[in-house]
Amino acid sequence: MFDSLKKELSRRALLHKAGFGFMALGVTGAVGHIIKPTRTLAQAGPAPSNEPSLPPEKKLGWAVVGLGKFATQQIMPSFGECKRSKLVALVSGDRPKAEKYAQQYGINPKNVYNYQNYDSIRDNPEVDVIYIILPNGMYAEYSIRGAQAGKHIMCEKPMANTVEECQAMIDAAKKANRKLMIAYRTQYEPYNLTAIQLAQSGKLGKLKSITSDHERILNPKDPVDIWRMQKKLAGGGSLYDIGIYSLQATRYITGEEPVAINAMMYSTPGDPRFREVEENVNFMLHFPSGVLANCTSSYGYSSTKRIQVFGSDAVLELDPATDYYQHRLFINRDNQTEEQKIEEKNQFALEMDHLSECIMQNKQPKTPGEEGLQDVRLMNLIYEAARTDKTIKV
Ligand code: NDP
């Protein structure tokens, strides 16, 4: 079952080792100097070698499924900055809301679907890609139905509640010969790509340790957090929702997969928010090169989105590391801290255009289903390590 996953992960490790993020960004400059990306991932398009060039005006049609906070406030407005992707359809359980957004975005009312007639999207040639932004527990069903309708799939994180669901999603996309990408936006975001390049090129010396912290307060009065308190819809607690960024960071900064996991988990007794899902998870990962990672994830204290990378020569800090905008990157060398400014890009537009380009050029996306499956698998091992109080060998 994990053969294809292993193959995909070793391919990704090779890409990381080859400085894929660096090349894609076209970053120039050295530590201590301002780094300006000359080309973004999406703008970079095909490498100059043997890939066909795309007609400049070509855009694929996208449908967004689930018109919640993230979809309406970040994703839908970002189509305006896409070069290869346009919003042409909506899927929602709330018809008046969907009609309001259809009007705002100039979408033909015939392209507004609900969850019952969703499958009939197969008959709509305007839709090439379906972007699913629902509660986590719904991803498997809507990705599989979308692939069976003959559409390519972008699925938000975390990919699904269980490893089995992730595998079923991968299988369905393969069977339908469609692409499946997980929307790991930080792997398309210039500050994170620069951090990967600096860490993997040896500019920090030999990598020793990573810490990554992701926290926010779960608000039971906020509609977006109500389903996050329910295990069936959320899959897990803070780890599934935001700790996944801490986990992702350790994997893309090292370009490696962890070989051992320790963890502790704690939820405030009697707090009704944490009846079904956990509040806090702290976990440690051991990577083959010797890097040790120390990660936190919490729903109990205020907003943190930080990554720190400790090398033998310098320390890199991204804070905020995984926000939507206004990231900051610092390098501390010889007790002197310098901030590096990098041109901000719309990471949502970059990731959507990446999938559109992969479809047009028949390439594997950089963050395919196997990447999402690996995180779900590791998060379940983190839970197991916490439950059993044992080191889990991966
Ligand atoms: P919301 O609750 O705001 O949106 C979820 C939407 O799903 C709802 O608005 C609703 O849309 C639809 N829905 C269908 N069935 C249900 C149900 N039973 N309960 C609740 N909603 C339902 O959540 P978010 O926008 O915050 O998160 C959605 C997804 O996006 C999550 O998987 C989350 O992890 C991911 N996310 C990713 C981020 C990133 O940076 N990559 C940031 C934030 C979230 P409708 O009314 O149209 O049917």
Side-chain angles (χ1 to χ4, degrees), residues 65-71 91-94 97 115 131-136 138-139 156-158 183-185 223-225 227-228 233 240-241 245 322 324 348 351:
V65 183
L67 307 183
K69 186 173 178 188
F70 184 60
V91 182
S92 172
D94 182 338
K97 176 172 68 174
Y115 300 120
Y131 188 169
I132 308 172
I133 317 181
L134 292 168
N136 314 335
M138 299 173 74
Y139 286 144
E156 258 308 323
K157 48 55 61 177
Y184 282 126
R185 59 183 171 79
V224 309
D225 280 351
W227 65 262
R228 284 178 165 90
L233 286 174
Y240 260 50
D241 192 29
Y245 289 103
T322 56
Y324 299 152
F348 312 111
E351 68 175 349

Tab-separated table of all heavy atoms in Angstrom, residues 65-71 91-94 97 115 131-136 138-139 156-158 183-185 223-225 227-228 233 240-241 245 322 324 348 351, ligand 1:
chain	number	residue	atom	x	y	z
A	65	VAL	N	-15.521	24.315	-3.948
A	65	VAL	CA	-16.535	23.559	-3.194
A	65	VAL	C	-16.464	23.957	-1.719
A	65	VAL	O	-15.449	23.720	-1.054
A	65	VAL	CB	-16.286	22.042	-3.313
A	65	VAL	CG1	-17.395	21.271	-2.591
A	65	VAL	CG2	-16.193	21.622	-4.756
A	66	GLY	N	-17.527	24.563	-1.197
A	66	GLY	CA	-17.558	25.004	0.204
A	66	GLY	C	-17.185	26.464	0.288
A	66	GLY	O	-16.014	26.824	0.113
A	67	LEU	N	-18.183	27.307	0.540
A	67	LEU	CA	-17.940	28.754	0.535
A	67	LEU	C	-17.834	29.265	1.971
A	67	LEU	O	-18.635	30.071	2.436
A	67	LEU	CB	-19.061	29.467	-0.229
A	67	LEU	CG	-19.324	28.915	-1.644
A	67	LEU	CD1	-20.402	29.724	-2.336
A	67	LEU	CD2	-18.042	28.895	-2.475
A	68	GLY	N	-16.826	28.781	2.681
A	68	GLY	CA	-16.592	29.186	4.071
A	68	GLY	C	-15.608	30.341	4.134
A	68	GLY	O	-15.342	31.032	3.147
A	69	LYS	N	-15.065	30.543	5.330
A	69	LYS	CA	-14.211	31.705	5.585
A	69	LYS	C	-12.954	31.709	4.701
A	69	LYS	O	-12.622	32.703	4.058
A	69	LYS	CB	-13.810	31.702	7.067
A	69	LYS	CG	-13.044	32.914	7.490
A	69	LYS	CD	-12.838	32.910	8.986
A	69	LYS	CE	-12.025	34.113	9.417
A	69	LYS	NZ	-11.664	34.032	10.839
A	70	PHE	N	-12.267	30.583	4.690
A	70	PHE	CA	-11.012	30.541	3.937
A	70	PHE	C	-11.275	30.663	2.426
A	70	PHE	O	-10.580	31.410	1.720
A	70	PHE	CB	-10.269	29.237	4.259
A	70	PHE	CG	-8.931	29.138	3.607
A	70	PHE	CD1	-7.947	30.078	3.859
A	70	PHE	CD2	-8.651	28.106	2.723
A	70	PHE	CE1	-6.697	29.998	3.245
A	70	PHE	CE2	-7.401	28.013	2.116
A	70	PHE	CZ	-6.432	28.956	2.373
A	71	ALA	N	-12.295	29.965	1.957
A	71	ALA	CA	-12.607	30.014	0.519
A	71	ALA	C	-12.966	31.433	0.086
A	71	ALA	O	-12.455	31.939	-0.920
A	71	ALA	CB	-13.756	29.059	0.204
A	91	VAL	N	-19.778	25.426	-5.558
A	91	VAL	CA	-20.589	24.339	-4.987
A	91	VAL	C	-20.814	24.700	-3.519
A	91	VAL	O	-19.846	24.937	-2.780
A	91	VAL	CB	-19.872	22.980	-5.090
A	91	VAL	CG1	-20.770	21.871	-4.539
A	91	VAL	CG2	-19.459	22.686	-6.534
A	92	SER	N	-22.089	24.735	-3.107
A	92	SER	CA	-22.404	25.187	-1.751
A	92	SER	C	-23.728	24.599	-1.293
A	92	SER	O	-24.613	24.327	-2.109
A	92	SER	CB	-22.493	26.720	-1.753
A	92	SER	OG	-22.982	27.187	-0.515
A	93	GLY	N	-23.861	24.454	0.038
A	93	GLY	CA	-25.149	24.039	0.595
A	93	GLY	C	-26.058	25.227	0.855
A	93	GLY	O	-27.182	25.042	1.324
A	94	ASP	N	-25.577	26.404	0.583
A	94	ASP	CA	-26.321	27.629	0.889
A	94	ASP	C	-26.522	28.402	-0.418
A	94	ASP	O	-25.663	29.172	-0.841
A	94	ASP	CB	-25.491	28.436	1.904
A	94	ASP	CG	-26.162	29.711	2.341
A	94	ASP	OD1	-27.042	30.224	1.619
A	94	ASP	OD2	-25.784	30.222	3.417
A	97	LYS	N	-26.254	32.331	-0.548
A	97	LYS	CA	-24.847	32.761	-0.415
A	97	LYS	C	-24.097	32.512	-1.728
A	97	LYS	O	-23.360	33.384	-2.215
A	97	LYS	CB	-24.180	31.982	0.733
A	97	LYS	CG	-22.697	32.280	0.895
A	97	LYS	CD	-22.102	31.665	2.150
A	97	LYS	CE	-22.043	30.157	2.123
A	97	LYS	NZ	-21.327	29.591	3.284
A	115	TYR	N	-24.543	20.147	-2.907
A	115	TYR	CA	-23.855	18.878	-2.621
A	115	TYR	C	-24.593	17.676	-3.212
A	115	TYR	O	-23.997	16.616	-3.390
A	115	TYR	CB	-23.653	18.718	-1.108
A	115	TYR	CG	-22.823	19.851	-0.530
A	115	TYR	CD1	-23.336	20.687	0.459
A	115	TYR	CD2	-21.537	20.110	-1.002
A	115	TYR	CE1	-22.586	21.749	0.964
A	115	TYR	CE2	-20.783	21.167	-0.499
A	115	TYR	CZ	-21.322	21.977	0.475
A	115	TYR	OH	-20.569	23.023	0.966
A	131	TYR	N	-11.675	22.634	-6.498
A	131	TYR	CA	-10.897	22.962	-5.300
A	131	TYR	C	-11.820	22.764	-4.099
A	131	TYR	O	-12.781	23.508	-3.903
A	131	TYR	CB	-10.404	24.405	-5.389
A	131	TYR	CG	-9.417	24.841	-4.317
A	131	TYR	CD1	-8.744	26.047	-4.438
A	131	TYR	CD2	-9.129	24.051	-3.204
A	131	TYR	CE1	-7.817	26.467	-3.473
A	131	TYR	CE2	-8.212	24.448	-2.249
A	131	TYR	CZ	-7.567	25.664	-2.385
A	131	TYR	OH	-6.662	26.066	-1.429
A	132	ILE	N	-11.506	21.770	-3.258
A	132	ILE	CA	-12.401	21.377	-2.176
A	132	ILE	C	-11.941	22.010	-0.857
A	132	ILE	O	-10.813	21.768	-0.394
A	132	ILE	CB	-12.460	19.839	-2.072
A	132	ILE	CG1	-12.794	19.279	-3.463
A	132	ILE	CG2	-13.513	19.409	-1.062
A	132	ILE	CD1	-12.699	17.797	-3.551
A	133	ILE	N	-12.832	22.823	-0.262
A	133	ILE	CA	-12.480	23.592	0.947
A	133	ILE	C	-13.600	23.396	1.975
A	133	ILE	O	-14.316	24.310	2.348
A	133	ILE	CB	-12.261	25.093	0.603
A	133	ILE	CG1	-11.440	25.238	-0.686
A	133	ILE	CG2	-11.583	25.803	1.776
A	133	ILE	CD1	-11.149	26.661	-1.107
A	134	LEU	N	-13.751	22.165	2.408
A	134	LEU	CA	-14.836	21.746	3.312
A	134	LEU	C	-14.247	21.375	4.668
A	134	LEU	O	-13.019	21.355	4.832
A	134	LEU	CB	-15.521	20.515	2.702
A	134	LEU	CG	-16.319	20.725	1.416
A	134	LEU	CD1	-16.666	19.379	0.791
A	134	LEU	CD2	-17.577	21.536	1.689
A	135	PRO	N	-15.071	21.020	5.642
A	135	PRO	CA	-14.522	20.371	6.844
A	135	PRO	C	-13.719	19.125	6.437
A	135	PRO	O	-14.090	18.405	5.496
A	135	PRO	CB	-15.779	20.008	7.634
A	135	PRO	CG	-16.782	21.047	7.233
A	135	PRO	CD	-16.522	21.270	5.764
A	136	ASN	N	-12.627	18.881	7.170
A	136	ASN	CA	-11.658	17.835	6.783
A	136	ASN	C	-12.292	16.463	6.533
A	136	ASN	O	-11.879	15.731	5.639
A	136	ASN	CB	-10.605	17.676	7.875
A	136	ASN	CG	-10.074	19.013	8.353
A	136	ASN	OD1	-10.111	19.975	7.617
A	136	ASN	ND2	-9.585	19.066	9.589
A	138	MET	N	-14.828	15.642	5.144
A	138	MET	CA	-15.592	15.513	3.905
A	138	MET	C	-14.693	15.396	2.672
A	138	MET	O	-15.176	15.221	1.552
A	138	MET	CB	-16.531	16.720	3.745
A	138	MET	CG	-17.542	16.842	4.884
A	138	MET	SD	-18.523	18.367	4.836
A	138	MET	CE	-19.654	18.031	3.488
A	139	TYR	N	-13.372	15.507	2.876
A	139	TYR	CA	-12.472	15.551	1.713
A	139	TYR	C	-12.464	14.274	0.899
A	139	TYR	O	-12.403	14.321	-0.335
A	139	TYR	CB	-11.048	15.926	2.150
A	139	TYR	CG	-10.943	17.385	2.505
A	139	TYR	CD1	-10.133	17.830	3.527
A	139	TYR	CD2	-11.705	18.321	1.811
A	139	TYR	CE1	-10.061	19.174	3.855
A	139	TYR	CE2	-11.655	19.669	2.126
A	139	TYR	CZ	-10.827	20.082	3.154
A	139	TYR	OH	-10.773	21.411	3.467
A	156	GLU	N	-7.863	20.859	0.200
A	156	GLU	CA	-7.224	21.580	1.315
A	156	GLU	C	-6.586	20.584	2.310
A	156	GLU	O	-6.818	19.394	2.266
A	156	GLU	CB	-8.261	22.466	2.028
A	156	GLU	CG	-8.165	23.926	1.657
A	156	GLU	CD	-6.759	24.516	1.792
A	156	GLU	OE1	-6.037	24.143	2.724
A	156	GLU	OE2	-6.385	25.356	0.965
A	157	LYS	N	-5.814	21.125	3.228
A	157	LYS	CA	-5.206	20.317	4.288
A	157	LYS	C	-6.107	20.273	5.500
A	157	LYS	O	-6.870	21.217	5.668
A	157	LYS	CB	-3.821	20.838	4.664
A	157	LYS	CG	-3.686	22.331	4.915
A	157	LYS	CD	-4.518	23.073	5.898
A	157	LYS	CE	-4.519	22.762	7.338
A	157	LYS	NZ	-5.396	23.694	8.145
A	158	PRO	N	-6.021	19.287	6.365
A	158	PRO	CA	-5.359	18.003	6.140
A	158	PRO	C	-6.163	17.188	5.136
A	158	PRO	O	-7.381	17.309	5.068
A	158	PRO	CB	-5.392	17.366	7.528
A	158	PRO	CG	-6.602	17.950	8.181
A	158	PRO	CD	-6.738	19.343	7.652
A	183	ALA	N	-3.311	21.323	-1.058
A	183	ALA	CA	-3.047	22.774	-1.084
A	183	ALA	C	-2.098	23.180	0.049
A	183	ALA	O	-2.486	23.896	0.972
A	183	ALA	CB	-4.364	23.534	-0.992
A	184	TYR	N	-0.869	22.728	-0.058
A	184	TYR	CA	0.148	23.101	0.936
A	184	TYR	C	0.787	24.410	0.481
A	184	TYR	O	1.897	24.429	-0.046
A	184	TYR	CB	1.200	22.003	1.047
A	184	TYR	CG	0.755	20.808	1.869
A	184	TYR	CD1	0.824	19.527	1.350
A	184	TYR	CD2	0.294	20.970	3.172
A	184	TYR	CE1	0.450	18.423	2.101
A	184	TYR	CE2	-0.091	19.875	3.936
A	184	TYR	CZ	-0.010	18.615	3.403
A	184	TYR	OH	-0.380	17.532	4.157
A	185	ARG	N	0.061	25.504	0.752
A	185	ARG	CA	0.443	26.803	0.201
A	185	ARG	C	1.856	27.230	0.581
A	185	ARG	O	2.537	27.906	-0.188
A	185	ARG	CB	-0.564	27.867	0.645
A	185	ARG	CG	-0.672	28.009	2.158
A	185	ARG	CD	-1.720	29.027	2.555
A	185	ARG	NE	-1.965	29.011	3.991
A	185	ARG	CZ	-1.194	29.586	4.907
A	185	ARG	NH1	-0.104	30.244	4.539
A	185	ARG	NH2	-1.502	29.519	6.186
A	223	PRO	N	-18.537	30.277	14.109
A	223	PRO	CA	-19.053	29.155	13.295
A	223	PRO	C	-17.948	28.324	12.643
A	223	PRO	O	-18.100	27.111	12.486
A	223	PRO	CB	-19.902	29.851	12.225
A	223	PRO	CG	-20.180	31.216	12.751
A	223	PRO	CD	-19.126	31.558	13.763
A	224	VAL	N	-16.820	28.948	12.283
A	224	VAL	CA	-15.755	28.179	11.617
A	224	VAL	C	-15.089	27.188	12.570
A	224	VAL	O	-14.402	26.266	12.137
A	224	VAL	CB	-14.657	29.060	10.966
A	224	VAL	CG1	-15.233	30.118	10.071
A	224	VAL	CG2	-13.710	29.647	11.979
A	225	ASP	N	-15.288	27.403	13.877
A	225	ASP	CA	-14.648	26.506	14.843
A	225	ASP	C	-15.591	25.433	15.380
A	225	ASP	O	-15.144	24.527	16.097
A	225	ASP	CB	-14.046	27.310	16.002
A	225	ASP	CG	-12.705	27.924	15.612
A	225	ASP	OD1	-12.207	27.573	14.527
A	225	ASP	OD2	-12.168	28.733	16.379
A	227	TRP	N	-17.327	23.032	13.736
A	227	TRP	CA	-17.012	21.693	13.206
A	227	TRP	C	-15.611	21.245	13.642
A	227	TRP	O	-15.343	20.046	13.731
A	227	TRP	CB	-17.187	21.641	11.677
A	227	TRP	CG	-16.248	22.515	10.873
A	227	TRP	CD1	-16.517	23.745	10.359
A	227	TRP	CD2	-14.899	22.201	10.463
A	227	TRP	NE1	-15.422	24.238	9.677
A	227	TRP	CE2	-14.423	23.300	9.721
A	227	TRP	CE3	-14.051	21.106	10.662
A	227	TRP	CZ2	-13.138	23.338	9.170
A	227	TRP	CZ3	-12.771	21.141	10.114
A	227	TRP	CH2	-12.333	22.255	9.383
A	228	ARG	N	-14.749	22.196	13.978
A	228	ARG	CA	-13.378	21.842	14.413
A	228	ARG	C	-13.377	21.164	15.785
A	228	ARG	O	-12.376	20.591	16.187
A	228	ARG	CB	-12.473	23.075	14.402
A	228	ARG	CG	-12.036	23.481	12.988
A	228	ARG	CD	-11.184	24.749	13.013
A	228	ARG	NE	-10.460	24.988	11.769
A	228	ARG	CZ	-10.923	25.690	10.733
A	228	ARG	NH1	-12.131	26.225	10.777
A	228	ARG	NH2	-10.186	25.854	9.643
A	233	LEU	N	-15.872	15.473	11.807
A	233	LEU	CA	-15.662	16.461	10.747
A	233	LEU	C	-14.224	16.979	10.705
A	233	LEU	O	-13.727	17.375	9.650
A	233	LEU	CB	-16.622	17.638	10.919
A	233	LEU	CG	-18.076	17.365	10.543
A	233	LEU	CD1	-18.964	18.547	10.892
A	233	LEU	CD2	-18.207	17.040	9.046
A	240	TYR	N	-4.190	18.313	13.706
A	240	TYR	CA	-4.702	18.201	12.338
A	240	TYR	C	-4.893	19.571	11.685
A	240	TYR	O	-4.707	19.727	10.490
A	240	TYR	CB	-6.049	17.458	12.348
A	240	TYR	CG	-5.952	15.999	11.975
A	240	TYR	CD1	-5.024	15.168	12.587
A	240	TYR	CD2	-6.794	15.437	11.025
A	240	TYR	CE1	-4.937	13.827	12.264
A	240	TYR	CE2	-6.721	14.092	10.688
A	240	TYR	CZ	-5.786	13.298	11.313
A	240	TYR	OH	-5.712	11.960	10.982
A	241	ASP	N	-5.275	20.554	12.492
A	241	ASP	CA	-5.624	21.855	11.930
A	241	ASP	C	-4.404	22.734	11.698
A	241	ASP	O	-4.203	23.264	10.600
A	241	ASP	CB	-6.613	22.555	12.882
A	241	ASP	CG	-7.259	23.772	12.250
A	241	ASP	OD1	-7.409	23.803	11.016
A	241	ASP	OD2	-7.625	24.707	12.999
A	245	TYR	N	1.220	22.340	10.117
A	245	TYR	CA	2.211	23.286	9.575
A	245	TYR	C	3.572	23.068	10.226
A	245	TYR	O	4.602	23.200	9.564
A	245	TYR	CB	1.765	24.731	9.791
A	245	TYR	CG	0.601	25.145	8.930
A	245	TYR	CD1	-0.682	25.231	9.446
A	245	TYR	CD2	0.787	25.453	7.584
A	245	TYR	CE1	-1.758	25.610	8.656
A	245	TYR	CE2	-0.275	25.830	6.789
A	245	TYR	CZ	-1.546	25.904	7.329
A	245	TYR	OH	-2.606	26.271	6.542
A	322	THR	N	4.011	31.108	8.520
A	322	THR	CA	2.984	30.448	7.700
A	322	THR	C	1.688	31.243	7.684
A	322	THR	O	0.604	30.676	7.610
A	322	THR	CB	2.720	29.033	8.248
A	322	THR	OG1	2.346	29.152	9.630
A	322	THR	CG2	3.942	28.147	8.140
A	324	TYR	N	-0.801	34.368	6.014
A	324	TYR	CA	-1.220	34.584	4.632
A	324	TYR	C	-0.318	35.620	3.946
A	324	TYR	O	-0.010	35.512	2.775
A	324	TYR	CB	-2.674	35.047	4.589
A	324	TYR	CG	-3.659	34.047	5.168
A	324	TYR	CD1	-4.851	34.470	5.738
A	324	TYR	CD2	-3.400	32.677	5.137
A	324	TYR	CE1	-5.765	33.554	6.263
A	324	TYR	CE2	-4.296	31.766	5.666
A	324	TYR	CZ	-5.476	32.210	6.230
A	324	TYR	OH	-6.361	31.307	6.751
A	348	PHE	N	-1.520	31.769	-2.668
A	348	PHE	CA	-2.700	31.014	-3.117
A	348	PHE	C	-2.744	30.989	-4.649
A	348	PHE	O	-3.017	29.965	-5.267
A	348	PHE	CB	-3.982	31.630	-2.548
A	348	PHE	CG	-3.899	31.912	-1.080
A	348	PHE	CD1	-3.870	33.216	-0.597
A	348	PHE	CD2	-3.811	30.875	-0.170
A	348	PHE	CE1	-3.766	33.480	0.752
A	348	PHE	CE2	-3.708	31.117	1.190
A	348	PHE	CZ	-3.680	32.435	1.652
A	351	GLU	N	-0.023	28.605	-5.906
A	351	GLU	CA	-0.294	27.155	-5.811
A	351	GLU	C	-1.375	26.749	-6.809
A	351	GLU	O	-1.304	25.684	-7.412
A	351	GLU	CB	-0.630	26.708	-4.385
A	351	GLU	CG	-1.928	27.218	-3.858
A	351	GLU	CD	-2.298	26.662	-2.475
A	351	GLU	OE1	-1.665	25.722	-1.989
A	351	GLU	OE2	-3.251	27.214	-1.889
B	1	NDP	P1	-15.517	27.178	7.340
B	1	NDP	O1	-16.342	26.568	8.390
B	1	NDP	O2	-15.492	28.671	7.255
B	1	NDP	O3	-15.957	26.635	5.905
B	1	NDP	C1	-16.371	25.321	5.660
B	1	NDP	C2	-17.497	25.357	4.634
B	1	NDP	O4	-17.818	24.001	4.309
B	1	NDP	C3	-18.802	25.942	5.157
B	1	NDP	O5	-18.873	27.337	5.014
B	1	NDP	C4	-19.842	25.262	4.290
B	1	NDP	O6	-19.910	25.925	3.042
B	1	NDP	C5	-19.202	23.905	3.991
B	1	NDP	N1	-19.801	22.817	4.772
B	1	NDP	C6	-20.424	21.743	4.255
B	1	NDP	N2	-20.858	20.919	5.214
B	1	NDP	C7	-20.513	21.471	6.392
B	1	NDP	C8	-20.696	21.101	7.747
B	1	NDP	N3	-21.301	19.948	8.080
B	1	NDP	N4	-20.231	21.912	8.706
B	1	NDP	C9	-19.589	23.050	8.395
B	1	NDP	N5	-19.386	23.460	7.117
B	1	NDP	C10	-19.843	22.680	6.117
B	1	NDP	O7	-14.051	26.600	7.531
B	1	NDP	P2	-12.663	27.160	6.993
B	1	NDP	O8	-12.880	27.943	5.769
B	1	NDP	O9	-11.945	27.795	8.112
B	1	NDP	O10	-11.885	25.789	6.674
B	1	NDP	C11	-12.240	24.951	5.590
B	1	NDP	C12	-11.063	24.070	5.223
B	1	NDP	O11	-9.994	24.884	4.776
B	1	NDP	C13	-10.491	23.218	6.357
B	1	NDP	O12	-10.148	21.958	5.860
B	1	NDP	C14	-9.255	23.928	6.802
B	1	NDP	O13	-8.276	23.040	7.304
B	1	NDP	C15	-8.821	24.556	5.494
B	1	NDP	N6	-8.091	25.805	5.743
B	1	NDP	C16	-6.891	25.960	5.159
B	1	NDP	C17	-6.164	27.096	5.351
B	1	NDP	C18	-4.868	27.261	4.687
B	1	NDP	O14	-4.180	28.227	4.978
B	1	NDP	N7	-4.474	26.387	3.772
B	1	NDP	C19	-6.649	28.173	6.229
B	1	NDP	C20	-7.976	27.941	6.752
B	1	NDP	C21	-8.650	26.779	6.519
B	1	NDP	P3	-21.316	26.159	2.291
B	1	NDP	O15	-22.160	26.954	3.256
B	1	NDP	O16	-20.954	26.904	1.089
B	1	NDP	O17	-21.881	24.807	2.016
